[in-house]
Amino acid sequence: MTRGRTELGEITPHNIKQLKRLNSVVFPVSYNEKFYKDVLEVGDLAKLAYYNDIVVGAVCCRIDTEEDGRRRLYIMTLGCLAPYRRLGIGTVMLKHVLDYCEKDGNIDNIYLHVQVNNDSAIEFYKHFDFEIIETKEHYYKRIEPSDAHVLQKTLRTAKPAAQQE
């Protein structure tokens, strides 16, 4: 199969059902209505992936601000339909996230949860310098194994907190 054209597109109220259907097929967990409502609010942090004009994947992220003011990008979902894997679509989606972080300039790291038995996802992220920083037991409800690795890519080292006077 020759490489086709991969493009990213906006997620809108008109195509959110495509994201819901895609997620129901790609991921072993279901996402609630709040997830989809939030996705509509994050702009460039959520994209559908099109391969030759067919929706085959999506990436959805959010920015978390820590108590010390550091900003982290959390990849809530990044997935692609099985027949379209290994065609560079995940790479296009992840590079979009990395470019977003670079343009923002104020994000310390990117992190996500991956089911401990998802070797292909773990290898994919390691290829982009993500590291397993911890394993959370019983992270997932109603799926086995229920444990998740937390993978993280550090973009910049934290600056020392300003000294109190």
Side-chain angles (χ1 to χ4, degrees):
M1 186 153 118
T2 58
R3 289 248 168 167
R5 186 179 73 252
T6 301
E7 297 173 309
L8 299 182
E10 304 295 319
I11 297 175
T12 70
H14 300 289
N15 63 21
I16 192 85
K17 285 184 177 161
Q18 289 181 288
L19 175 64
K20 289 178 182 181
R21 181 76 183 116
L22 182 91
N23 283 351
S24 74
V25 172
V26 173
F27 300 108
V29 295
S30 55
Y31 294 91
N32 60 28
E33 284 305 310
K34 182 182 181 328
F35 173 90
Y36 294 103
K37 184 176 174 291
D38 292 347
V39 161
L40 289 171
E41 307 288 318
V42 296
D44 279 343
L45 288 174
K47 293 286 186 183
L48 288 174
Y50 295 86
Y51 187 77
N52 293 337
D53 301 320
I54 299 165
V55 173
V56 298
V59 57
C60 301
C61 307
R62 69 172 189 243
I63 303 288
D64 292 342
T65 304
E66 302 295 307
E67 288 180 11
D68 61 5
R70 289 182 306 126
R71 295 171 73 232
R72 309 173 75 197
L73 185 139
Y74 179 60
I75 298 175
M76 299 184 290
T77 62
L78 188 154
C80 183
L81 294 172
Y84 295 90
R85 291 181 189 152
R86 309 216 45 85
L87 295 174
I89 298 163
T91 296
V92 169
M93 291 188 285
L94 187 55
K95 283 186 174 173
H96 168 76
V97 172
L98 295 170
D99 290 346
Y100 179 96
C101 292
E102 189 176 325
K103 283 180 193 145
D104 180 281
N106 194 26
I107 295 172
D108 291 297
N109 61 60
I110 303 170
Y111 73 109
L112 68 149
H113 294 87
V114 176
Q115 199 173 9
V116 293
N117 66 340
N118 191 343
D119 295 332
S120 60
I122 293 164
E123 287 309 308
F124 171 77
Y125 288 106
K126 283 185 173 180
H127 180 76
F128 291 93
D129 300 321
F130 282 75
E131 299 173 299
I132 295 172
I133 60 165
E134 72 174 300
T135 300
K136 293 196 172 190
E137 293 185 1
H138 312 296
Y139 178 78
Y140 296 106
K141 313 283 185 265
R142 296 183 289 280
I143 62 169
E144 287 297 327
S146 63
D147 300 347
H149 290 311
V150 179
L151 280 79
Q152 178 176 291
K153 177 181 176 77
T154 301
L155 302 176
R156 61 182 194 173
T157 53
K159 297 179 182 82
Q163 293 181 346
Q164 301 292 323
E165 292 187 31

